[in-house]
Amino acid sequence: MMGKIMKRNDFGKIVNYTMKGNNKSKLLATEGVRSDSKQHIAESFSCQAGLNTRIRTPVYHISLSFSKQDSGKLTDDLMVKIAGEYMEKMNIKNTQYIVVRHYDREHPHIHLVINRVDNDGKTISDKNDFYRNEKVCKMLTAKYRLHFANGKDNIKEERLRPYDKAKHEVYKALKGELPHARSWNELKEALSERDIELKFKVSRTTKEVQGVKFEYGGISFSGSKVSREFSYMNIDYRLRRNAFEDDFNHRQAAIPEPGE
């Protein structure tokens, strides 16, 4: 299970997007909105958002995606239950929302449209929401024994734009090469064979390494832009650990067995 959080300012556009026609979507649950039409849903959201005009992005648009391996168990009722627990653990309470299921992809997924202006006109905080989202998704995935879907590993590459395709190539290369590299030089050489250039970002004043970036097809990305696990510090830690484990295993193999 993976969650993606977006904040917007137009309820009409988001409601129209989530409630697609041609049997591509299904409204599973609502709270506090007039749900007989898309227009009335959007008007209900906008009316309540008017209670607090200080919020520039009153729309919480959150998609929850699941592995296609869980398709059999993810009934509408279970998805509504998971959506409710997700909102509770994200401290999203006392407000309007809709839960919509989409059928336009191979994997099951739902969209939550939520009003960040609650029923009393107070703001639903978005502090650290991306971090909390990741934590809550992992918690619910484990609770319901779902598969830990990795969006980057299940991307349909033919649909990607050049920028995203280049970044995905770097991601795949790092996933494949990092577990076997024991130093930055080894990693650099391995990536070079895949036509990916590794460069360091160095401080002009202290000359210390501050980060890492990767270039493929003339497009470059910082490590953390490819994925958090590929920040400079995370890669450096992994390389050191690989070197330590490799050295330890060699030393263990060199110890003679008793009686030899």
Side-chain angles (χ1 to χ4, degrees):
M1 171 180 167
M2 295 177 63
K4 181 179 179 181
I5 296 178
M6 294 156 280
K7 281 162 274 190
R8 299 291 186 264
N9 59 13
D10 190 327
F11 282 105
K13 287 183 180 180
I14 302 304
V15 170
N16 281 329
Y17 169 77
T18 55
M19 297 183 65
K20 299 180 178 183
N22 300 322
N23 298 318
K24 290 184 178 181
S25 69
K26 181 180 180 181
L27 183 63
L28 300 185
T30 68
E31 178 63 37
V33 298
R34 183 178 169 185
S35 58
D36 55 329
S37 71
K38 290 188 286 187
Q39 180 180 347
H40 286 150
I41 290 174
E43 288 176 352
S44 298
F45 278 127
S46 297
C47 183
Q48 181 157 303
L51 298 175
N52 186 344
T53 57
R54 292 171 297 179
I55 302 181
R56 294 184 178 181
T57 53
V59 187
Y60 246 155
H61 175 203
I62 303 173
S63 62
L64 300 179
S65 300
F66 305 84
S67 169
K68 60 183 178 182
Q69 294 172 274
D70 293 319
S71 297
K73 68 166 67 173
L74 286 169
T75 63
D76 290 347
D77 288 342
L78 180 56
M79 293 182 105
V80 170
K81 184 177 181 181
I82 290 173
E85 288 190 42
Y86 173 88
M87 286 187 282
E88 181 182 357
K89 294 183 183 300
M90 289 289 290
N91 204 28
I92 298 172
K93 305 173 183 177
N94 188 40
T95 194
Q96 301 166 306
Y97 65 81
I98 62 172
V99 180
V100 184
R101 183 168 189 167
H102 276 195
Y103 301 96
D104 56 347
R105 294 286 187 272
E106 293 180 357
H107 64 280
H109 61 288
I110 53 177
H111 290 262
L112 284 63
V113 182
I114 304 165
N115 203 331
R116 290 188 57 227
V117 178
D118 74 11
N119 300 334
D120 300 317
K122 297 180 180 179
T123 302
I124 292 178
S125 174
D126 61 350
K127 184 177 181 180
N128 297 323
D129 56 358
F130 291 98
Y131 168 76
R132 290 185 287 120
N133 164 71
E134 185 176 343
K135 186 176 180 180
V136 169
C137 284
K138 288 181 179 179
M139 187 186 307
L140 292 176
T141 298
K143 177 179 179 180
Y144 289 97
R145 297 183 178 181
L146 302 172
H147 289 82
F148 283 89
N150 189 330
K152 291 185 176 68
D153 291 334
N154 294 295
I155 284 175
K156 291 187 178 297
E157 296 182 39
E158 66 274 11
R159 296 181 180 177
L160 294 177
R161 297 176 180 177
Y163 176 89
D164 294 317
K165 187 171 184 178
K167 185 162 69 171
H168 190 57
E169 287 296 327
V170 174
Y171 172 84
K172 290 192 300 180
L174 286 168
K175 272 288 192 181
E177 301 297 346
L178 184 55
H180 310 293
R182 297 168 299 172
S183 69
W184 282 102
N185 282 337
E186 285 189 11
L187 180 62
K188 186 173 184 178
E189 290 177 6
L191 294 176
S192 179
E193 293 179 2
R194 295 181 180 231
D195 297 321
I196 296 170
E197 185 175 2
L198 183 158
K199 299 179 180 179
F200 294 109
K201 291 185 285 185
V202 180
S203 169
R204 293 181 180 179
T205 54
T206 65
K207 304 302 179 183
E208 293 181 352
V209 176
Q210 294 182 319
V212 62
K213 63 180 180 179
F214 305 93
E215 184 174 315
Y216 178 80
I219 304 174
S220 64
F221 320 88
S222 66
S224 57
K225 285 290 184 181
V226 176
S227 176
R228 286 183 183 179
E229 65 181 300
F230 300 134
S231 68
Y232 171 77
M233 292 187 66
N234 285 341
I235 292 178
D236 191 61
Y237 170 78
R238 182 65 183 272
L239 292 172
R240 291 174 184 271
R241 191 181 72 180
N242 289 349
F244 173 81
E245 290 177 351
D246 188 58
D247 182 59
F248 177 80
N249 290 334
H250 276 92
R251 283 189 280 111
Q252 287 294 105
I255 299 175
E257 293 291 333
E260 289 187 1

